[in-house]
């Protein structure tokens, strides 16, 4: 890995690397620029992503493509109602000498695609809790460290609710971003159809290695932030908490619960990374606003009044901003 003489040089290298990544990803993924930007922001911020969208919007393909552009190990776990925790983290088996030996599960990888994560019961969903927060797995009293960098990129279908298990708040809170995928535009869909119905297949080249990604993650943490940006981020989170001293009127009216401290942390780290990805060396309030929606979307809980009046979570966050 190349050694940088200063953080400024490293920041410029990250900016260029992200341009190269976008170039490779765009060979396969068309018309999802905002989604790609947020997933890459999460990768360099050391966060996890939940991608929510109807079937056929290339959620799984998007994650596959991003994994292909990064020189990292990748495992896909298809979440089904009969999936057990040991199918994810691994289990102890007895060898021929009658000694117990731990066999690692698919979670021991750099990138985990948790496909349709809400199709498995809470018992199995909870198998990811320790992995996503502590980057380790505990089996039979022994703790096993996961390879770094480590990301969980999960997908979820918002339409079909039969045979699904909503993610508990503790699990949702571990995802840095909740990213909603919309339908592609007419022009984008034309391009998608042309690309996928011909005999040609695009080749995605590797752009970054694991040690480079970890160096850029450390760089993001070192980015300086002025106090007024931190104040703005923390005040924004406090505004979401109904019946508290700093609560906004829209929160008192339409929210049952507000966001926790993890939201404030993610807002600042996400703003730092967003600044670097746009060629800046320090974040401003616009960078906080750029990541606020996917960070707060799954951390605030609407009350009955909001649901009855059809007030969406997105509308409430826009009012808060």
């Amino acid at each position: 890995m190349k050694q940088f003489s200063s953080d400024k040089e490293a920041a410029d290298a990250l900016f260029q690397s992200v341009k190269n990544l976008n170039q490779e990803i765009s060979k396969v993924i068309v018309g999802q620029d905002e989604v790609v930007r947020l997933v890459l922001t999460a990768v360099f911020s050391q966060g996890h992503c939940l991608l929510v969208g109807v079937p056929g919007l290339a959620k799984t393909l998007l994650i596959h493509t991003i994994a292909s552009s990064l020189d990292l190990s990748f495992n896909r776990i298809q979440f089904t109602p009969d999936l057990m925790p040991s199918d994810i983290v691994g289990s102890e088996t007895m060898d021929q000498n009658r000694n117990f030996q731990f066999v690692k599960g698919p979670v021991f990888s750099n990138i985990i695609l948790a496909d349709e994560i809400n199709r498995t019961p809470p018992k199995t969903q909870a198998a990811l809790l320790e992995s996503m927060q502590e980057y380790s797995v505990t089996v039979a009293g022994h703790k096993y460290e996961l390879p770094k960098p480590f990301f969980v990129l999960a997908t979820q279908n918002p339409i079909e609710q039969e045979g699904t298990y909503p993610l508990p708040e503790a699990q949702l809170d571990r995802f840095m971003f909740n990213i909603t995928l919309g339908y592609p535009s007419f022009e984008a869909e034309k391009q998608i159809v042309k690309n996928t119905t011909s005999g040609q297949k695009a080749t995605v080249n590797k752009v970054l290695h694991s040690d480079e990604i970890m160096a850029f993650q450390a760089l993001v943490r070192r980015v300086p932030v002025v106090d007024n940006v931190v104040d703005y981020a923390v005040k924004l989170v406090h505004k979401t908490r109904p019946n508290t001293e700093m609560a906004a009127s829209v929160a008192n009216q339409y929210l049952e619960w507000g966001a926790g401290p993890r939201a404030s942390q993610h807002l600042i780290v996400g703003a730092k990374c967003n600044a670097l990805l746009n060629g800046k060396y320090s974040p401003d309030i616009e960078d906080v606003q750029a990541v606020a929606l996917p960070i707060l979307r799954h951390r605030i809980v609407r009350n009955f009044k909001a649901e009855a009046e059809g007030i969406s979570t997105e509308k409430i966050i826009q009012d808060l901003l």
Side-chain angles (χ1 to χ4, degrees):
M1 178 193 162
K2 182 185 174 184
Q3 297 297 316
F4 300 108
S5 58
S6 66
D7 282 351
K8 179 182 179 297
E9 189 185 339
D12 293 337
L14 172 58
F15 179 66
Q16 185 57 49
S17 296
V18 170
K19 281 177 71 174
N20 296 341
L21 279 169
N22 281 320
Q23 202 172 334
E24 292 300 319
I25 293 164
S26 64
K27 291 178 182 177
V28 178
I29 302 298
V30 178
Q32 296 284 11
D33 297 343
E34 177 65 8
V35 177
V36 171
R37 178 186 73 83
L38 288 171
V39 173
L40 291 179
T41 301
V43 165
F44 293 113
S45 302
Q46 207 172 339
H48 311 289
C49 281
L50 178 64
L51 278 72
V52 180
V54 298
L57 293 183
K59 298 184 295 294
T60 305
L61 179 63
L62 171 70
I63 295 169
H64 264 293
T65 307
I66 290 173
S68 300
S69 65
L70 303 172
D71 191 15
L72 301 172
S73 58
F74 171 81
N75 272 332
R76 179 186 185 208
I77 305 172
Q78 184 65 53
F79 281 71
T80 55
D82 60 347
L83 194 74
M84 296 297 288
S86 58
D87 296 328
I88 297 174
V89 300
S91 58
E92 286 203 322
T93 59
M94 191 176 285
D95 62 19
Q96 58 188 12
N97 299 319
R98 303 184 67 82
N99 295 319
F100 283 108
Q101 188 177 0
F102 178 62
V103 178
K104 292 179 178 179
V107 78
F108 285 86
S109 191
N110 295 121
I111 300 178
I112 302 299
L113 165 53
D115 215 359
E116 294 193 279
I117 192 170
N118 59 333
R119 287 213 165 275
T120 198
K123 176 183 178 181
T124 307
Q125 290 174 2
L128 282 174
L129 289 174
E130 184 185 356
S131 307
M132 292 171 72
Q133 185 63 33
E134 282 90 30
Y135 302 101
S136 63
V137 164
T138 304
V139 177
H142 294 286
K143 190 173 182 179
Y144 302 92
E145 296 293 327
L146 293 171
K148 289 182 181 177
F150 177 79
F151 317 106
V152 173
L153 304 175
T155 68
Q156 190 172 310
N157 174 1
I159 303 175
E160 218 171 1
Q161 299 307 321
E162 192 175 332
T164 64
Y165 303 84
L167 293 175
E169 296 303 321
Q171 179 103 47
L172 280 173
D173 199 41
R174 279 165 167 76
F175 286 102
M176 181 178 185
F177 289 146
N178 180 337
I179 304 170
T180 302
L181 281 81
Y183 291 111
S185 66
F186 178 76
E187 289 301 323
E189 192 158 345
K190 267 175 61 179
Q191 190 61 46
I192 290 166
V193 171
K194 285 179 183 177
N195 291 355
T196 55
T197 55
S198 68
Q200 294 179 325
K201 191 175 181 182
T203 304
V204 178
N205 299 312
K206 307 282 186 192
V207 176
L208 288 174
H209 306 291
S210 59
D211 53 350
E212 292 171 316
I213 294 168
M214 289 169 72
F216 286 140
Q217 287 176 341
L219 172 69
V220 168
R221 301 279 165 163
R222 293 198 300 272
V223 170
V225 188
V226 292
D227 282 347
N228 73 305
V229 175
V230 177
D231 288 347
Y232 178 82
V234 177
K235 277 180 185 172
L236 179 61
V237 173
H238 274 258
K239 280 184 188 177
T240 68
R241 299 169 184 169
N243 306 316
T244 59
E245 188 183 338
M246 298 176 72
S249 58
V250 69
N252 288 330
Q253 194 175 1
Y254 292 122
L255 292 182
E256 190 79 35
W257 296 99
R262 206 178 259 144
S264 302
Q265 295 170 333
H266 285 320
L267 281 172
I268 292 299
V269 175
K272 288 180 176 187
C273 190
N274 191 71
L276 292 179
L277 266 54
N278 285 289
K280 298 188 289 185
Y281 301 120
S282 183
D284 50 32
I285 285 170
E286 285 74 21
D287 290 303
V288 177
Q289 292 171 337
V291 296
L293 181 61
I295 286 174
L296 295 175
R297 180 185 278 132
H298 55 301
R299 291 186 164 89
I300 60 175
V301 180
R302 293 179 301 160
N303 60 18
F304 178 76
K305 187 173 192 287
E307 292 183 26
E309 294 182 18
I311 306 294
S312 68
T313 303
E314 286 78 6
K315 172 75 168 68
I316 294 168
I317 295 169
Q318 292 299 340
D319 289 347
L320 290 169
L321 289 170

